[in-house]
Amino acid sequence: MHPTLNRPLWRMAERIWAIYRENSREEWTPCFPDFQWECCEQLRRQITRAHHRRYSGAARQLRLELIKELADVVRKCDEEQKRALKLAPTPLPTLRLLYEELLALDQEFDDVVCDLQAQSITVHTEPIVLEEVYLGRFKIVLNIRRLGSFHVYEVRALDPHPAASNEETTHPHVQGRRLCAGDGWDTIESALKQGRLSEFFLIVRQILRTYNAGSAHVSLDEWSGISCSECGYVSDESDSYCCAACYCSLCSDCSRSCEFCCDNRCHGCLETCQCCELYACQSCLQRCARCDDLTCRDCISPELICNTCLENEDGDDEPDESVTTEAEGEEWAIVPKEGAEPAVATDAAVHAHGVGQAAVSA
């Protein structure tokens, strides 16, 4: 070997080359939609019989089912075609190319760690500042044992300065440890397939240096604020509130308080007293034993009867002034006893129920 050969990097290059060779041996066995096609054949035979027996309605329904099955066949064939193209053989990177790519990393990044035991390559970025928002340094970790899979790399914050509304968002395009590469995903995948490792790390670093408001998990304008869970308005931490029940963040306009215990609550964690219509939390309300309505402590009796039910109960005990007796409002002509002076004549008629009574003429 050449005397200036970096042996640790050469061994890492050998390990990566072995993984590329192992992935290239993956055999592809085509999987055709035989079951779906058999369903299409069965529907075709049923349609033929329906036409023969002149069952037009049944034939129309069967045609609709056949259209759905044919669409499923086409979809599965497209999926299999994409799988075949993905597994199509590509030229393997040479061992020398992989070694040179690892050497190039030392020229592009200050901190490069090739861990053969962990089978990972890690590089550190410089502090990232986007639109005057300091995000700190990041490390990009490539898991070489996952080469060929979907989640092959991670982006971790070394000195996190996350968004105030979400601690998992350490960068507008990083959620947790996953980078939203956007349009750069195809370029990243192509670089990894061809073994251009230094280009892969440079692409990821460039994405971290770039801000795209349209694909950001949290926009930089809202980075240091707290988003209201109800209206979405982002306010400063000093002007935000927390619901004491569900712990969601609220702005000053959306925050309410219980009329009795004065705890902050969101709209979903407050109820209305059915008697006085004041807002109260669940702990300050009780259910009426009769109507089952939620009632505050000022509108319910010790027997757990709300004021509305008590008022209705009191109203049932009082006589109804609108109801009158049969005799009220009617005039009667009474037959005088013998020897008594005759009664003054009236225009009143004989009551229908006054049997034996008659009006006395003057």
Side-chain angles (χ1 to χ4, degrees):
M1 288 188 181
H2 197 277
T4 60
L5 184 69
N6 188 319
R7 294 182 180 275
L9 290 186
W10 181 264
R11 286 195 292 269
M12 175 63 77
E14 287 180 325
R15 178 58 187 146
I16 298 173
W17 187 48
I19 293 174
Y20 273 107
R21 286 190 303 168
E22 183 178 348
N23 292 340
S24 67
R25 295 171 185 161
E26 183 177 356
E27 296 182 358
W28 170 58
T29 303
C31 180
F32 298 113
D34 296 331
F35 176 76
Q36 287 76 13
W37 185 252
E38 181 60 32
C39 291
C40 292
E41 286 288 345
Q42 184 179 1
L43 288 169
R44 182 187 62 81
R45 292 192 294 268
Q46 292 176 351
I47 292 172
T48 302
R49 287 197 298 269
H51 281 307
H52 181 71
R53 297 178 183 179
R54 297 182 179 179
Y55 295 157
S56 59
R60 185 164 50 252
Q61 184 63 33
L62 290 170
R63 280 198 301 271
L64 294 176
E65 294 182 13
L66 178 59
I67 291 173
K68 294 180 181 179
E69 290 294 335
L70 288 173
D72 200 18
V73 170
V74 173
R75 179 179 61 81
K76 289 188 175 295
C77 288
D78 288 341
E79 291 177 355
E80 193 62 24
Q81 182 187 30
K82 292 178 181 178
R83 180 168 172 259
L85 291 174
K86 185 176 180 180
L87 297 177
T90 55
L92 288 177
T94 63
L95 178 58
R96 182 180 183 84
L97 171 65
L98 294 174
Y99 174 69
E100 291 176 350
E101 289 290 324
L102 295 178
L103 288 176
L105 288 177
D106 285 329
Q107 301 175 5
E108 297 291 345
F109 296 91
D110 294 334
D111 297 317
V112 180
V113 178
C114 294
D115 192 335
L116 185 59
Q117 184 175 1
Q119 300 188 58
S120 65
I121 303 173
T122 303
V123 301
H124 294 183
T125 70
E126 75 283 0
I128 303 294
V129 180
L130 298 177
E131 297 187 4
E132 299 183 358
V133 177
Y134 181 81
L135 301 175
R137 303 175 67 211
F138 292 85
K139 67 177 179 179
I140 308 167
V141 183
L142 175 64
N143 298 300
I144 61 175
R145 56 186 171 183
R146 295 182 187 174
L147 285 171
S149 64
F150 187 70
H151 301 299
V152 66
Y153 68 96
E154 297 177 348
V155 177
R156 307 175 188 175
L158 290 174
D159 48 339
H161 290 77
S165 58
N166 189 347
E167 294 184 354
E168 292 293 317
T169 305
T170 56
H171 185 281
H173 306 305
V174 176
Q175 181 75 38
R177 296 180 178 180
R178 300 287 172 83
L179 172 68
C180 179
D183 296 336
W185 168 250
D186 292 336
T187 309
I188 289 175
E189 187 177 21
S190 176
L192 289 176
K193 279 186 176 181
Q194 299 175 22
R196 294 180 280 112
L197 302 181
S198 62
E199 182 177 343
F200 156 74
F201 284 104
L202 291 174
I203 294 171
V204 175
R205 184 178 66 177
Q206 184 58 33
I207 294 175
L208 293 175
R209 290 175 173 178
T210 308
Y211 172 59
N212 182 2
S215 61
H217 296 290
V218 178
S219 66
L220 290 175
D221 294 337
E222 303 175 355
W223 198 259
S224 59
I226 298 178
S227 177
C228 176
S229 62
E230 295 199 352
C231 69
Y233 176 75
V234 178
S235 58
D236 295 333
E237 186 175 357
S238 59
D239 194 33
S240 63
Y241 300 86
C242 179
C243 175
C246 65
Y247 304 105
C248 67
S249 299
L250 300 167
C251 65
S252 57
D253 293 336
C254 295
S255 176
R256 290 178 176 267
S257 60
C258 174
E259 297 287 348
F260 301 93
C261 67
C262 299
D263 283 345
N264 290 322
R265 291 287 195 278
C266 64
H267 287 266
C269 295
L270 282 178
E271 299 287 349
T272 305
C273 173
Q274 298 301 310
C275 292
C276 64
E277 296 186 352
L278 292 177
Y279 287 106
C281 62
Q282 289 283 350
S283 58
C284 294
L285 293 173
Q286 291 180 302
R287 290 196 177 274
C288 175
R290 292 189 180 177
C291 65
D292 202 40
D293 284 343
L294 286 172
T295 312
C296 69
R297 60 194 180 192
D298 291 345
C299 298
I300 198 167
S301 68
E303 293 79 16
L304 299 183
I305 308 298
C306 68
N307 290 347
T308 303
C309 291
L310 289 176
E311 291 174 1
N312 293 336
E313 183 181 76
D314 294 340
D316 292 341
D317 295 339
E318 297 178 0
D320 191 350
E321 297 179 356
S322 63
V323 179
T324 60
T325 62
E326 294 181 353
E328 285 182 348
E330 299 183 1
E331 296 182 8
W332 291 78
I334 308 300
V335 178
K337 295 182 179 180
E338 187 177 353
E341 294 185 4
V344 179
T346 66
D347 294 332
V350 178
H351 194 277
H353 300 288
V355 180
Q357 297 176 353
V360 180
S361 60

